[in-house]
Amino acid sequence: MSAEAADPGAPLRRRSRPRIDLRRLGRVALLGPVSRDRLPDAIGHVAEAHRAHHPDADLTILRRAYVLAESSHRGQMRKSGEPYITHPLAVTLILAELGAETTTLTASLLHDTVEDTEVTLDQVREQFGDEVCYLVDGVTKLEKVDYGAAAEPETFRKMLVATGNDVRVMSIKLADRLHNMRTLGVMRPEKQARIAKVTRDVLIPLAERLGVQALKTELEDLVFAILHPEEYEHTRALIAAAAGPDAPLDTIADNVRGTLRDAGISAEVLIRPRHFVSVHRVRRKRGELRGTDFGRLLVLVTEDADCYAVLGELHTCFTPVISEFKDFIAAPKFNLYQSLHTAVVGPGGAVAEVLIRTHRMHKVAEAGVVALGNPYAQDHAAAPQTEPSDERADPTRPGWLSRLLDWQESATDPDTFWTTLRADLAQDREITVFRTDGGTLGLPAGASCVDAAYAQYGDRAHTSIGARVNGRLATLSTVLSDGDTVQLLLAQDTASGPSPDWLDHARTPAARIAITGWLTDHPDEAKPAPSTMTSADPGGPGPAEPAAAERAAQATAPARTRSGPRATGVVVDGPDAPVRLAGCCTPVPPDELTGFVVRGGAVTVHRRACPAVAAMQEIGRAPVGARWADAGGRESDAGCRVTLVAESFGRPRLLADLTEAIATAEAAIVSATVEPPSEQRVRHTYTLQLPDAAGLPALMRAMREVAGVYDVSRAQHPAPAG
């Protein structure tokens, strides 16, 4: 608001958005109010820009707002020496050029009156109504005398909360910051840098999320000039050197115009120069810049179908670069952006990027939520209520903003809020995942099932025990991709809580704050991390649950052994001795084997991968060579014995369904153990007699297909005797 701002960017201005003449306005503003029957000259620019978007707009309220703003700010000067009224005028002109409606412009003219003059909110409400009063209050800064060092973060918190009810609050703030950044040069260098960093970390990401690209790109260039002056000057020189009448994009643009004209497609083809930061990014990515890297072609049409017609002609008449094609019309970005992106090869091999959109899409791409007009003009009370998690149900209250407002309530400490806000806004890409009930969740790229759980259930997510991603069971640490379908699984025990390990996988502030809060409140109750669930290849055994493997690895005594039903199916090296199959891993053909001599001279045979093998070797037991008797790795008709561990979620009839699956596979249950449920998870251990080892994969597959079972593996720890 009253921060003064530099003009490093005079050359950056867009040709379609002329700067307001502050010196002329300053002289006009000093002349004082005018008669009631005509519009003050000082807001002539604003009225002209406003009528271009809203031809029937009533300018009476703008006149009254200007008169109040001019009279209340009279005598105040900016640090640049201009009358202070030039600032709200410039901010209002920025919004008028973007197409903001009359209420927003009225509040913009008055946005500093309550903060910097004797005007009160009650006076604003009395003269201009509740809407204007709300917007002015939303952008009014909190006093440092009351909040001290917390004034800035708490002011932003206040603005964000106000934005949650009316996005026009943030529209005014963004335009306010843009004008301040344009004239920041009168400030000390250290203050310029501080304001530029806050703009970079908070305001630019907010402009991106609200889709206001026209403000975002200019803010980026102004910040670039202040924080990276050398790179800025180098980029400026490159752009100046590339300018000229024979630019390669001009030739390609002419060819595109001719192609579309011959196809009978009415379209406007423009060359859209890249802004400074965009050119800088391309140079860092590619190294040496091509002549076509300094801009892109913009093709504007009337209807959505025309966009695809243009795309078809371009891909037919030019060589397309298929890897550059993106369809943001069928799948709009979370910030309302819609466009077709492609690239084609022009004469001489020059590659040009092309944006294809309707005029309406272009307006929204430039102005974002500002282009929506007044979203609160209609009575929404009668409108059907939409699912709040739907990112596009209400474009004025996008999902990211709802999530931000939710977590900020838990970040009561200003420093925590300020740090978390910057980290949250730094995540510049979002993904959409689908819930099994038909809703959607918007999450930052890299989010895990932990984040999805807290986004969907809030504090109820403390009881999460797993998830299904695209129908397959997955750990809570699983990173989600755009378009995934996720079903979160919660324990019935509402007293359970998160593991500290969850913090390693949480990307969203809501999840991190909720987990940290629970762990702080329950220092002695943090549960261990959930076991690693796996949807192993159904054609073979999956990996064992980690805790079980650790228990086996820690074994220091010989594993219990069991005489095999046909121990003669195994041949061991050395003297003739009884051979037994180890009950800890129940080897079956074609497992690789190794044996150990135990008390009494018998040889116990283990699977070579059994953790007990390492334990035996650590205590000095020498291994004995062992192998299956016949070359085919099959036992005799007596079959084989194996111990399987089934990990599952508890539910009624689970044991009956598992035993039915085992019986269907023609396996006999020698012994079975069901451990007490832990966090709604149950471990079943079965020692089974199979007629043939070849049937083991099919048996394990059948057990995994039982509802609630998320893993079946070969036992790798001592099993109960049969």
Side-chain angles (χ1 to χ4, degrees):
M1 291 175 216
S2 31
E4 309 297 324
D7 203 3
L12 304 180
R13 57 174 168 258
R14 297 169 179 267
R15 281 175 285 182
S16 61
R17 298 178 58 229
R19 294 280 179 84
I20 193 167
D21 186 342
L22 294 179
R23 297 186 188 281
R24 186 186 73 82
L25 278 184
R27 291 193 299 272
V28 173
L30 288 174
L31 297 178
V34 297
S35 61
R36 291 178 177 271
D37 58 352
R38 73 182 184 89
L39 201 67
D41 291 341
I43 58 172
H45 285 70
V46 172
E48 181 183 352
H50 188 37
R51 281 279 172 83
H53 293 278
H54 304 278
D56 300 326
D58 182 2
L59 302 180
T60 304
I61 191 172
L62 290 182
R63 180 193 182 282
R64 290 195 293 111
Y66 170 74
V67 170
L68 176 59
E70 188 280 328
S71 61
S72 59
H73 286 298
R74 189 178 300 168
Q76 295 178 350
M77 309 295 285
R78 304 192 83 211
K79 287 187 171 62
S80 57
E82 293 140 352
Y84 194 85
I85 188 61
T86 59
H87 171 65
L89 277 171
V91 171
T92 305
L93 179 59
I94 290 169
L95 291 168
E97 289 174 336
L98 290 174
E101 39 67 57
T102 308
T103 302
T104 302
L105 301 186
T106 303
S108 177
L109 284 169
L110 299 170
H111 80 270
D112 273 345
T113 54
V114 174
E115 181 179 318
D116 294 334
T117 76
E118 298 301 317
V119 175
T120 66
L121 282 173
D122 287 339
Q123 288 175 300
V124 172
R125 180 181 293 106
E126 181 181 348
Q127 295 188 41
F128 300 97
D130 290 337
E131 274 190 275
V132 172
C133 179
Y134 184 86
L135 298 178
V136 172
D137 185 30
V139 294
T140 299
K141 288 194 295 190
L142 298 174
E143 294 291 341
K144 280 192 175 182
V145 67
D146 297 323
Y147 287 85
E152 184 171 40
E154 289 302 326
T155 292
F156 270 99
R157 189 201 297 263
K158 172 176 175 278
M159 289 180 189
L160 287 168
V161 172
T163 299
N165 294 320
D166 195 326
V167 291
R168 293 175 294 180
V169 171
M170 192 53 65
S171 299
I172 297 172
K173 177 59 183 176
L174 290 171
D176 171 72
R177 178 54 61 96
L178 176 57
H179 181 245
N180 283 333
M181 288 294 297
R182 283 176 177 176
T183 56
L184 201 62
V186 296
M187 293 287 189
R188 299 187 308 276
E190 59 272 18
K191 190 165 186 179
Q192 288 186 41
R194 185 186 67 78
I195 294 173
K197 287 176 182 176
V198 173
T199 303
R200 176 196 64 194
D201 295 345
V202 180
L203 273 304
I204 288 175
L206 286 171
E208 168 73 16
R209 281 160 172 71
L210 292 172
V212 195
Q213 294 297 320
L215 303 188
K216 180 232 178 187
T217 53
E218 189 173 350
L219 285 171
E220 281 187 325
D221 284 349
L222 291 164
V223 167
F224 185 37
I226 292 172
L227 298 183
H228 305 282
E230 293 183 1
E231 286 109 326
Y232 173 82
E233 289 300 331
H234 181 60
T235 305
R236 181 202 292 271
L238 289 173
I239 293 174
D246 299 324
L249 275 178
D250 291 333
T251 302
I252 300 177
D254 287 339
N255 291 341
V256 169
R257 291 187 187 100
T259 298
L260 298 181
R261 184 171 55 250
D262 293 344
I265 300 174
S266 177
E268 185 178 1
V269 181
L270 306 171
I271 295 176
R272 185 175 177 81
R274 290 184 183 272
H275 64 294
F276 281 51
V277 170
S278 180
V279 171
H280 176 66
R281 287 172 180 157
V282 172
R283 183 172 68 87
R284 292 187 63 182
K285 178 181 178 181
R286 295 181 182 162
E288 185 176 352
L289 291 171
R290 306 173 304 206
T292 54
D293 287 336
F294 293 91
R296 291 180 286 191
L297 298 186
L298 175 62
V299 181
L300 298 177
V301 294
T302 304
E303 303 291 339
D304 288 12
D306 294 337
C307 294
Y308 293 97
V310 169
L311 181 71
E313 289 298 322
L314 293 183
H315 282 195
T316 300
C317 300
F318 297 85
T319 301
V321 182
I322 300 300
S323 61
E324 296 294 323
F325 173 67
K326 298 181 180 67
D327 187 347
F328 294 118
I329 295 178
K333 291 186 178 181
F334 68 92
N335 61 0
L336 309 179
Y337 179 87
Q338 287 184 285
S339 188
L340 294 178
H341 289 204
T342 189
V344 296
V345 181
V351 177
E353 295 183 37
V354 186
L355 310 178
I356 308 167
R357 58 180 72 141
T358 66
H359 291 278
R360 170 64 180 168
M361 291 175 192
H362 182 57
K363 181 179 180 181
V364 174
E366 288 289 289
V369 295
V370 179
L372 299 177
N374 181 3
Y376 311 99
Q378 299 178 353
D379 180 12
H380 291 284
Q385 295 298 310
T386 54
E387 174 62 42
S389 65
D390 188 340
E391 290 289 298
R392 300 185 186 93
D394 178 6
T396 69
R397 179 68 180 270
W400 65 265
L401 180 55
S402 295
R403 294 192 300 276
L404 188 155
L405 295 174
D406 287 341
W407 69 251
Q408 68 84 26
E409 292 181 357
S410 303
T412 54
D413 175 67
D415 290 338
T416 300
F417 166 75
W418 197 227
T419 302
T420 307
L421 175 65
R422 292 186 176 202
D424 190 11
L425 294 176
Q427 299 169 350
D428 59 357
R429 192 171 70 84
E430 288 212 349
I431 62 171
T432 299
V433 298
F434 297 91
R435 298 180 350 203
T436 52
D437 61 3
T440 61
L441 296 173
L443 299 168
S448 67
C449 292
V450 171
D451 299 300
Y454 283 94
Q456 181 170 350
Y457 292 113
D459 286 346
R460 285 179 58 204
H462 292 330
T463 63
S464 298
I465 54 176
R468 286 185 181 271
V469 178
N470 301 324
R472 296 175 68 87
L473 282 147
T475 62
L476 288 170
S477 62
T478 299
V479 175
L480 298 168
S481 299
D482 197 34
D484 280 348
T485 298
V486 61
Q487 176 187 7
L488 286 313
L489 306 172
L490 306 182
Q492 296 179 0
D493 179 9
T494 58
S496 62
S499 162
D501 292 344
W502 290 12
L503 289 172
D504 296 335
H505 312 298
R507 289 288 304 276
T508 58
R512 296 189 65 82
I513 291 173
I515 295 167
T516 301
W518 193 93
L519 295 174
T520 301
D521 294 340
H522 305 80
D524 300 324
E525 299 179 33
K527 69 181 180 183
S531 61
T532 301
M533 291 179 289
T534 164
S535 49
D537 180 359
E545 198 272 339
E550 291 171 8
R551 284 193 294 271
Q554 294 167 356
T556 57
R560 285 180 295 155
T561 61
R562 182 195 320 272
S563 297
R566 288 285 293 174
T568 55
V570 175
V571 176
V572 298
D573 298 335
D576 188 19
V579 177
R580 299 173 180 173
L581 300 180
C584 58
C585 58
T586 53
V588 298
D591 294 338
E592 294 185 344
L593 306 176
T594 190
F596 295 93
V597 178
V598 296
R599 292 181 181 89
V603 176
T604 300
V605 177
H606 297 258
R607 292 165 58 196
R608 193 168 292 176
C610 178
V613 171
M616 297 284 274
Q617 291 175 329
E618 285 179 5
I619 63 174
R621 298 291 182 91
V624 174
R627 59 195 176 278
W628 297 107
D630 60 309
R634 300 181 62 83
E635 293 193 32
S636 68
D637 292 340
C640 69
R641 182 173 294 190
V642 65
T643 299
L644 300 179
V645 177
E647 303 278 356
S648 64
F649 297 113
R651 67 169 179 83
R653 289 191 52 81
L654 175 62
L655 183 60
D657 291 345
L658 265 172
T659 54
E660 182 179 354
I662 292 169
T664 302
E666 298 182 352
I669 299 176
V670 177
S671 67
T673 301
V674 180
E675 298 180 12
S678 174
E679 300 170 2
Q680 295 302 307
R681 289 175 291 165
V682 183
R683 182 198 302 270
H684 303 248
T685 303
Y686 297 95
T687 298
L688 305 172
Q689 185 74 31
L690 279 72
D692 192 324
L696 179 59
L699 168 63
M700 297 178 71
R701 186 161 52 245
M703 293 174 68
R704 286 194 189 99
E705 291 174 353
V706 173
V709 176
Y710 59 81
D711 192 24
V712 176
S713 60
R714 299 276 296 279
Q716 297 196 48
H717 55 87

